Amino acid sequence: QQQVKQSPQSLIVQKGGISIINCAYENTAFDYFPWYQQFPGKGPALLIAIRPDVSEKKEGRFTISFNKSAKQFSLHIMDSQPGDSATYFCAATWGAQKLVFGQGTRLTINP
Amino acid sequence: KAGVTQTPRYLIKTRGQQVTLSCSPISGHRSVSWYQQTPGQGLQFLFEYFSETQRNKGNFPGRFSGRQFSNSRSEMNVSTLELGDSALYLCASNPPGTGWTEAFFGQGTRLTVV
């Protein structure tokens, strides 16, 4: 119940395309769903986050879509650029509890 | 403001040895968490410390331990190293009162066990 399942494991998108990464969870106590971006040799960095009382949050080219009834959420990267090539992790937490991470998606944007 | 600092960046150890990794959180941050990152497994939670006390613990064997000092700096120790312990170990800290909604990660320590 503590798990967050993420797919796909790897994704290749052409420059200018839309990248979509999906996550699913079981624990309905989760109340905060962040996405982290990690470049090689760096630690993960917070990219965007959402709470379950909204269905969508957009920041620039990055959008989180949240489906509370299905217990799923996804990251959309519009107009994907080579600089977006990185590993993306979805995560979930509640209260002051630890972050639970998905397995990660290695995204490659081909120029 | 300096970020989360982890030392050393790289380590090579032999099976059976022990290792100590260090993490200095962002100034003012009192919570520190440790994660193990391996390909395909994502980030696995090891433990969390707050004000020198372990607050949460993940599902790792007792060979993995940690501690936090009064200045919030934290160390983790792995004894009797196994080949499977090879991983990137990440430390994160968060500002007071935010829970883990704002986690700041260090660059990690890459441990290789041979």
Side-chain angles (χ1 to χ4, degrees):
Chain A
Q1 230 197 0
Q2 297 289 328
Q3 284 185 321
V4 176
K5 295 185 179 179
Q6 182 172 347
S7 63
Q9 265 193 312
S10 63
L11 180 63
I12 300 174
V13 175
Q14 292 299 117
K15 179 183 174 183
I18 302 173
S19 304
I20 302 174
I21 304 170
N22 301 298
C23 286
Y25 64 97
E26 289 295 325
N27 188 348
T28 55
F30 287 142
D31 62 1
Y32 184 76
F33 300 87
W35 285 88
Y36 282 79
Q37 180 188 54
Q38 184 180 29
F39 293 106
K42 303 289 187 183
L46 179 63
L47 181 64
I48 185 173
I50 196 168
R51 293 198 180 273
D53 52 347
V54 298
S55 59
E56 185 176 281
K57 183 174 182 180
K58 184 176 181 179
E59 289 184 3
R61 296 183 294 108
F62 300 89
T63 300
I64 301 178
S65 296
F66 190 86
N67 186 330
K68 190 174 180 178
S69 60
K71 291 185 282 187
Q72 295 175 347
F73 58 109
S74 59
L75 176 69
H76 293 64
I77 306 174
M78 312 300 287
D79 186 26
S80 298
Q81 299 297 312
D84 297 329
S85 297
T87 299
Y88 292 80
F89 294 94
C90 62
T93 185
W94 76 102
Q97 301 300 311
K98 63 180 187 284
L99 280 164
V100 179
F101 285 89
Q103 296 91 330
T105 297
R106 180 171 290 184
L107 174 64
T108 302
I109 308 299
N110 282 337
Chain B
K1 207 174 197 181
V4 176
T5 304
Q6 291 189 245
T7 57
R9 289 292 311 278
Y10 302 93
L11 266 178
I12 299 176
K13 290 286 187 180
T14 304
R15 268 184 307 174
Q17 287 187 312
Q18 75 163 16
V19 67
T20 299
L21 313 182
S22 180
C23 170
S24 292
I26 293 172
S27 177
H29 292 193
R30 292 163 60 193
S31 295
V32 171
S33 284
W34 288 89
Y35 288 83
Q36 181 194 66
Q37 183 179 3
T38 54
Q41 292 296 315
L43 285 81
Q44 302 287 310
F45 174 77
L46 281 155
F47 27 65
E48 177 197 0
Y49 286 88
F50 176 79
S51 293
E52 302 179 65
T53 301
Q54 190 179 87
R55 190 157 65 173
N56 278 305
K57 188 177 189 306
N59 296 322
F60 279 81
R63 301 184 296 108
F64 291 81
S65 62
R67 59 177 175 169
Q68 187 180 33
F69 302 94
S70 58
N71 62 358
S72 295
R73 189 176 72 85
S74 178
E75 288 181 347
M76 68 163 280
N77 183 277
V78 188
S79 62
T80 319
L81 283 165
E82 301 177 359
L83 294 179
D85 297 333
S86 294
L88 180 67
Y89 290 88
L90 291 160
C91 167
S93 70
N94 69 312
T98 63
W100 283 101
T101 60
E102 295 183 58
F104 295 84
F105 282 86
Q107 291 186 289
T109 294
R110 173 75 63 185
L111 172 65
T112 302
V113 182
V114 298

